[in-house]
Amino acid sequence: MSVMDKATTIATVKANLNITGTDRDLLIGDIWQNTVNYINQEGVPEELEPFIRAKTKGVIDYETSFGTGQVLDVASQTEGECSWTYNVSGTSSRDSVYGFSTSDFGKLNAFRKLRW
């Protein structure tokens, strides 16, 4: 199992998603760091590149749909009688897009090195 450092991961994810420029480097680097922190390893195994790529693509798609500002994940709203419905699903909420969901933790657990 080969391990990728941050720079290699950023370059690989950008190449696979056809991203040019450096505007997404911070995003990819943050996902890499969060992954490394959770799995307790020095780098990311090559097998996790698709995971980081999918998380990056998910954030890009989310920001394309909803923007990058403060989004409250409102699914619907009504002004007469003041009714709002919030999107609280585990797969499409802002927290699960930018952070790790229960499903993501499940995928990462196979690579996790526990500390004693």
Side-chain angles (χ1 to χ4, degrees):
M1 174 171 19
S2 181
V3 177
M4 297 190 313
D5 63 7
K6 185 185 268 188
T8 303
T9 303
I10 290 171
T12 303
V13 169
K14 285 172 62 175
N16 288 336
L17 291 177
N18 297 318
I19 297 173
T20 58
T22 59
D23 58 327
R24 295 294 182 179
D25 288 6
L26 181 61
L27 168 65
I28 301 167
D30 287 348
I31 295 170
W32 180 89
Q33 188 63 58
N34 290 339
T35 304
V36 166
N37 290 346
Y38 184 75
I39 65 173
N40 297 321
Q41 295 195 28
E42 296 296 317
V44 172
E46 283 183 357
E47 294 83 0
L48 284 178
E49 185 276 334
F51 171 81
I52 294 175
R53 181 177 1 116
K55 289 300 290 181
T56 302
K57 179 75 168 122
V59 170
I60 291 170
D61 291 347
Y62 184 87
E63 288 178 352
T64 300
S65 296
F66 300 108
T68 58
Q70 177 70 19
V71 178
L72 298 174
D73 289 328
V74 176
S76 67
Q77 73 180 45
T78 306
E79 291 192 26
E81 300 289 325
C82 296
S83 172
W84 279 264
T85 304
Y86 294 95
N87 180 11
V88 292
S89 78
T91 58
S92 63
S93 71
R94 183 178 175 91
D95 289 339
S96 68
V97 170
Y98 286 100
F100 291 151
S101 66
T102 304
S103 173
D104 293 335
F105 287 127
K107 293 172 189 171
L108 294 174
N109 281 339
F111 300 92
R112 192 167 193 205
K113 185 186 336 181
L114 299 177
R115 296 181 191 172
W116 295 95

